[in-house]
Amino acid sequence: MDNSGDEEEEKEEEEDDTEWKSSFADTAAVGPAAASGSFISATTHPHRVILHFDLDCFYAQVEMIRNPALRQVPLGIQQKYIIVTCNYVARERGVTKLMSVTDALEKCPELVLVRGEDLTHYRDMSYKVTELLLSYSPLVERLGFDENFMDVTEMVERRLGQTAESSSLSFTGHVYSRIAADVEAIDHQRLALGSHIAAELREAIHSKLGLTGCAGIANNKLLAKLVSGTHKPNQQTALLPENISDIMDSLSGLRKVPGVGHQTAKRLQALGLVAVKDLQLCSLRDLVREFGSATAQRLKNLALGVDESPVTPTGAPQSLSDEDSFKKMSSPKEVQEKIQQLLTSLVERMHKDGRQPQTFRLTIRKYSVANKWFNRESRQCPILNHIGQKITSGCAAEAVDQLIPVAMKLFQKMVDVGAAFHLTLINVCFSNLQSRTAAVSGKGSITSFFTHSTSPRKTQSALPQSQGSSSHGGSRHFTDHRFGPPSADGQHKKKLTTKSSCSPEAPLHGLKWEEKLVDGEEETLEASCSSTCDFDDTNGPALHQLPPNVDPEVFKLLPEEIQKELLSPAYVNSLPSHFTAKSVSDVEHGCRNRAPQTVTLSASFKDVKKAPSQLHPADRGTTVNHRFPAGMSVAPGEHDSVEGTLPSSRSSDCECPGNVDPGVFSELPPDVQRELMSEWKQQKLILKTPQSKKPVRSSMSRDKKSAGRGSQANSLFKYFKPS
DNA sequence: CCGGGCAACT
DNA sequence: AGTTGCC
């Protein structure tokens, strides 16, 4: 759906149905997972079932959860001078999205405004939704904070097998413009099952997170997205193949086609194309002249409702940024203060993420009269390893202090501070995020890694430019990134009694494929904040039990190397043992061990999230249960029970993690409890790491992104799928 | 007519 | 490094 994404060229112009599958198999079925098993069948299925989820007025919902009193009033979420979204009470009174605050207050003087510039809560809740969906299937792709695509082809397939015959041909929810008595049809049955899955997932999102939203069910992402919006709040709609042209023709203009933005629409208009139908009927040759063959083909396909782009699992974010806009900023002092402020929050977020950024970028927007008002410029530079390590190790203040001069230097590359200037925006960004996990040393032997009594971090070359990881070879290893951010040494700590647990402490990334970070290189162990890097290598792989969710029979069939990796405590041993070794190990082993454990907690309680939380129980009864490693599922405590239902309707989403002693917890001050809860709420999200480069190069010429990216996190799961 | 944030081309 | 697109 994203503008990019689809490079399937070899389609001719008269698609209709038959031709597209061939090209699809080519584009989607490559990559590391392609060689294997069932994963391929989902993405290459000639008739995929795709869901699109779209939360209702997302920011407003989050705020109404945080403050239930807001449910009864017209609520607008304000960013600067814009109402970015509003609840339905406000909509009834004429307030719309992206309306200016002045206009909104004119329409609705009683409008209650909540500031929404700080995205923290929205981002946290957004990832909780994605995580929840991921607990049902790995094929989840995020689009912004409030939308998710999901490929449920396999789930449907499984239900088809289970469901006796024609027992379920009925749809749940709406069916787009169902006019004719569409008899049977095998593809209708799949979509019908998809609608049931969609309903269950929406219900799960509602019961566990307290959020409502819409869903669309169709055979590709484009159509699923378009149809999901046809019945607006809190409903769902399925689109049958025979109604594709109906929904495409219903669009008021080309701009409404996802993938056709302002610029593209303008260029199309220059060709005399304004309606969707115009584009459908336009000759491909004309389009090719204007856009080139690939884009031309894609645009035309979009107009026809054809979209073979796969649901590409979104990984942990490839960059983290923080920005602020303003009317005017014209002194270096202001700039530095703003940069410091932005960096402070960004570094904190980066620390929670757990990965180490290799690149820093500063972006500004200069005021310009004639208004190019979208003229951003940026400069970037590598982040020296010792600074990066301060981020991951929790020495936030020092990291910020050291980054400020770097940022100012970049700033001066864009702005002559001697002359007058006028900025309207500053953005700071970390990218090239590197997991510092299991840098497995050469030969693919994991155990050899443990012979190095060194930090698992990347080797920093002597050069200022730090090549860092020479990821030659491209050998990939299955790694688990659930190491916790190092605790903040040098800070006061508080003890909190907990039980052992099951949750990755580093949010947003768990099991992934990634390139080796080091290749037998020696590590330097610096006396940084996390100087206590001793290892607990007492647990040889042989001593580990097979995770409970792994079928032993299947396991035996795995290549030895993979067996080892699955059992290896590599990541555990790669961490400073004082805070995670045990708990992470517990995670890996399916939470069997629930012995009480002490977890260090910083004064600010930030480290509490390291205390693994319990992962949630099984899927809903009817839903196929993918077998994930323990850390892969999202989840609640042992019992999903809600203690005191709050007026906010849901409190179940921030259950006390199973490892926390409720008695101790209840004695904490209320504000501390709330802080803890919010920390717990934003944990983990097992995503694959997008930054990893091409997996093993496929011999296929143009697998490019789609395959390379998506399948990584799932590559091993295929072995464990129920046959 | 633009908020904060992300990804994917060039 | 800039552009485009998406929310």
Side-chain angles (χ1 to χ4, degrees):
Chain A
M1 186 67 13
D2 39 330
N3 38 346
S4 44
D6 10 14
E7 254 82 79
E8 29 283 339
E9 11 274 32
E10 67 263 69
K11 256 172 311 271
E12 29 264 4
E13 38 221 297
E14 49 285 358
E15 25 285 335
D16 266 6
D17 49 337
T18 52
E19 48 78 21
W20 65 272
K21 51 173 126 43
S22 57
S23 70
F24 178 74
D26 197 23
T27 57
V30 269
S36 62
S38 52
F39 180 73
I40 200 175
S41 69
T43 54
T44 61
H45 197 285
H47 227 112
R48 297 178 294 159
V49 177
I50 307 298
L51 308 184
H52 175 258
F53 294 95
D54 189 343
L55 274 350
D56 302 325
C57 54
F58 181 52
Y59 291 2
Q61 274 205 81
V62 172
E63 296 300 341
M64 292 190 297
I65 287 170
R66 301 214 308 146
N67 180 0
L70 296 174
R71 290 184 184 279
Q72 278 69 254
V73 304
L75 170 66
I77 306 302
Q78 176 182 10
Q79 283 176 343
K80 293 300 186 294
Y81 302 101
I82 295 290
I83 305 294
V84 291
T85 193
C86 58
N87 67 5
Y88 277 82
V89 178
R91 291 186 196 196
E92 286 167 14
R93 311 194 186 186
V95 182
T96 66
K97 285 205 230 180
L98 298 184
M99 181 179 271
S100 78
V101 171
T102 0
D103 290 353
L105 286 174
E106 214 167 284
K107 287 257 183 188
C108 176
E110 331 86 274
L111 185 65
V112 174
L113 296 177
V114 169
R115 284 286 180 155
E117 283 95 351
D118 183 346
L119 304 185
T120 303
H121 298 111
Y122 314 140
R123 185 164 37 226
D124 291 348
M125 186 64 85
S126 171
Y127 275 103
K128 296 197 72 166
V129 173
T130 301
E131 286 173 39
L132 181 56
L133 296 177
L134 278 173
S135 72
Y136 291 82
S137 164
L139 295 180
V140 178
E141 177 179 341
R142 292 163 55 81
L143 186 61
F145 280 8
D146 68 336
E147 296 182 24
N148 288 277
F149 290 102
M150 195 165 174
D151 186 329
V152 294
T153 306
E154 270 196 41
M155 272 190 243
V156 165
E157 216 59 43
R158 235 177 268 117
R159 291 191 183 194
L160 267 180
Q162 295 171 357
T163 318
E165 305 308 300
S166 58
S167 70
S168 67
L169 190 71
S170 62
F171 282 82
T172 296
H174 304 270
V175 176
Y176 186 83
S177 77
R178 170 134 72 167
I179 32 150
D182 56 292
V183 272
E184 44 44 61
I186 193 87
D187 44 322
H188 288 27
Q189 168 124 4
R190 295 168 182 279
L191 289 169
L193 288 172
S195 76
H196 295 153
I197 293 172
E200 291 167 19
L201 292 174
R202 288 203 302 129
E203 176 51 32
I205 290 169
H206 183 61
S207 65
K208 294 182 197 253
L209 302 178
L211 295 167
T212 65
C214 295
I217 304 96
N219 288 318
N220 66 42
K221 292 200 290 178
L222 201 223
L223 298 172
K225 178 175 170 58
L226 288 176
V227 80
S228 72
T230 57
H231 291 94
K232 280 298 280 216
N234 195 21
Q235 297 169 74
Q236 65 179 67
T237 315
L239 179 70
L240 304 181
E242 63 256 42
N243 292 321
I244 291 177
S245 59
D246 294 335
I247 195 171
M248 295 313 299
D249 292 349
S250 78
L251 301 178
S252 60
L254 279 173
R255 198 41 252 283
K256 302 293 184 182
V257 178
V260 178
H262 283 109
Q263 304 304 318
T264 306
K266 265 189 236 172
R267 293 168 68 181
L268 289 168
Q269 190 173 5
L271 298 180
L273 311 176
V274 288
V276 173
K277 195 155 267 167
D278 297 337
L279 182 52
Q280 289 173 356
L281 300 175
C282 179
S283 92
L284 189 59
R285 291 193 321 279
D286 294 349
L287 287 173
V288 169
R289 225 181 312 147
E290 178 65 26
F291 298 96
S293 71
T295 303
Q297 188 66 71
R298 198 198 60 210
L299 290 172
K300 185 153 198 209
N301 281 342
L302 291 178
L304 291 163
V306 172
D307 170 26
E308 292 117 35
S309 63
V311 172
T312 304
T314 306
Q318 300 178 20
S319 64
L320 296 191
S321 66
D322 224 316
E323 73 184 48
D324 198 2
S325 65
F326 26 77
K327 283 294 191 193
K328 175 173 189 171
M329 182 162 300
S330 47
S331 77
K333 187 165 308 169
E334 291 176 283
V335 170
Q336 187 179 333
E337 285 168 4
K338 178 56 70 180
I339 286 174
Q340 174 161 23
Q341 170 193 327
L342 293 172
L343 273 176
T344 299
S345 73
L346 184 63
V347 163
E348 184 56 31
R349 275 212 282 146
M350 196 68 248
H351 173 240
K352 288 176 179 168
D353 176 283
R355 290 171 294 172
Q356 183 174 327
Q358 304 295 120
T359 304
F360 175 72
R361 173 165 53 213
L362 181 74
T363 303
I364 61 172
R365 185 175 65 197
K366 291 172 174 169
Y367 177 83
S368 64
V369 264
N371 252 355
K372 229 28 184 153
W373 54 91
F374 235 37
N375 57 350
R376 295 162 102 112
E377 9 181 341
S378 65
R379 295 291 186 272
Q380 61 183 25
C381 69
I383 299 174
L384 296 180
N385 203 20
H386 77 275
I387 298 180
Q389 286 173 355
K390 297 206 167 168
I391 298 170
T392 59
S393 64
C395 300
E398 292 176 41
V400 170
D401 286 345
Q402 298 192 2
L403 282 168
I404 287 175
V406 174
M408 292 308 290
K409 228 172 268 171
L410 294 175
F411 175 68
Q412 288 166 30
K413 289 187 180 184
M414 297 181 282
V415 173
D416 176 8
V417 291
F421 61 88
H422 184 334
L423 305 185
T424 55
L425 176 143
I426 295 181
N427 173 298
V428 291
C429 176
F430 288 139
S431 61
N432 198 357
L433 277 19
Q434 215 115 46
S435 293
R436 76 172 210 283
T437 351
V440 178
S441 62
K443 313 302 167 266
S445 163
I446 292 174
T447 50
S448 69
F449 170 70
F450 300 119
T451 64
H452 298 307
S453 55
T454 58
S455 158
R457 293 192 185 165
K458 293 181 28 175
T459 296
Q460 170 69 46
S461 90
L463 298 171
Q465 289 298 309
S466 96
Q467 305 291 352
S469 58
S470 56
S471 56
H472 41 277
S475 155
R476 304 169 60 78
H477 296 266
F478 190 64
T479 59
D480 191 327
H481 291 240
R482 297 168 294 174
F483 49 81
S487 64
D489 279 20
Q491 295 185 7
H492 334 62
K493 301 205 166 125
K494 187 171 167 156
K495 302 272 187 181
L496 183 69
T497 304
T498 67
K499 298 179 192 172
S500 64
S501 74
C502 270
S503 151
E505 44 291 285
L508 312 190
H509 47 98
L511 298 165
K512 331 173 180 179
W513 283 92
E514 70 169 19
E515 292 186 7
K516 285 190 291 190
L517 294 182
V518 293
D519 212 82
E521 294 183 68
E522 212 44 48
E523 304 294 339
T524 56
L525 181 60
E526 55 286 294
S528 71
C529 303
S530 59
S531 54
T532 57
C533 288
D534 53 329
F535 298 92
D536 170 22
D537 56 354
T538 58
N539 292 334
L543 300 180
H544 287 71
Q545 301 180 39
L546 206 54
N549 52 355
V550 173
D551 183 337
E553 299 289 280
V554 175
F555 184 83
K556 284 186 215 158
L557 301 175
L558 293 174
E560 183 183 354
E561 199 169 298
I562 293 178
Q563 288 186 7
K564 281 188 186 173
E565 294 195 13
L566 285 171
L567 292 176
S568 168
Y571 55 88
V572 174
N573 289 8
S574 72
L575 293 174
S577 61
H578 65 272
F579 75 94
T580 51
K582 175 156 185 46
S583 57
V584 172
S585 177
D586 290 341
V587 169
E588 180 70 358
H589 295 98
C591 307
R592 283 205 186 101
N593 177 4
R594 308 197 45 89
Q597 173 187 3
T598 296
V599 171
T600 59
L601 186 65
S602 74
S604 64
F605 296 92
K606 290 302 200 306
D607 288 343
V608 150
K609 67 184 192 352
K610 294 184 193 121
S613 78
Q614 175 94 6
L615 296 192
H616 101 180
D619 295 341
R620 333 170 33 76
T622 52
T623 302
V624 179
N625 192 353
H626 272 243
R627 312 295 257 167
F628 291 113
M632 197 68 183
S633 46
V634 189
E638 6 214 322
H639 329 316
D640 214 7
S641 66
V642 178
E643 298 74 347
T645 26
L646 300 177
S648 68
S649 84
R650 82 10 140 169
S651 57
S652 56
D653 69 308
C654 46
E655 329 72 23
C656 198
N659 53 333
V660 173
D661 184 327
V664 173
F665 181 82
S666 65
E667 306 210 3
L668 295 172
D671 56 316
V672 174
Q673 288 187 15
R674 286 208 315 139
E675 167 118 20
L676 289 174
M677 299 281 270
S678 88
E679 289 290 341
W680 292 329
K681 286 203 297 184
Q682 63 161 350
Q683 300 185 10
K684 78 286 148 175
L685 198 213
I686 308 323
L687 299 165
K688 65 130 251 222
T689 188
Q691 88 229 12
S692 44
K693 304 302 172 219
K694 302 296 147 224
V696 235
R697 287 302 305 169
S698 158
S699 56
M700 310 205 58
S701 52
R702 62 189 192 78
D703 51 22
K704 215 34 202 156
K705 53 157 265 136
S706 54
R709 263 184 115 240
S711 38
Q712 302 164 13
N714 322 307
S715 313
L716 283 189
F717 301 146
K718 60 180 182 265
Y719 290 109
F720 303 111
K721 291 202 174 145
S723 60

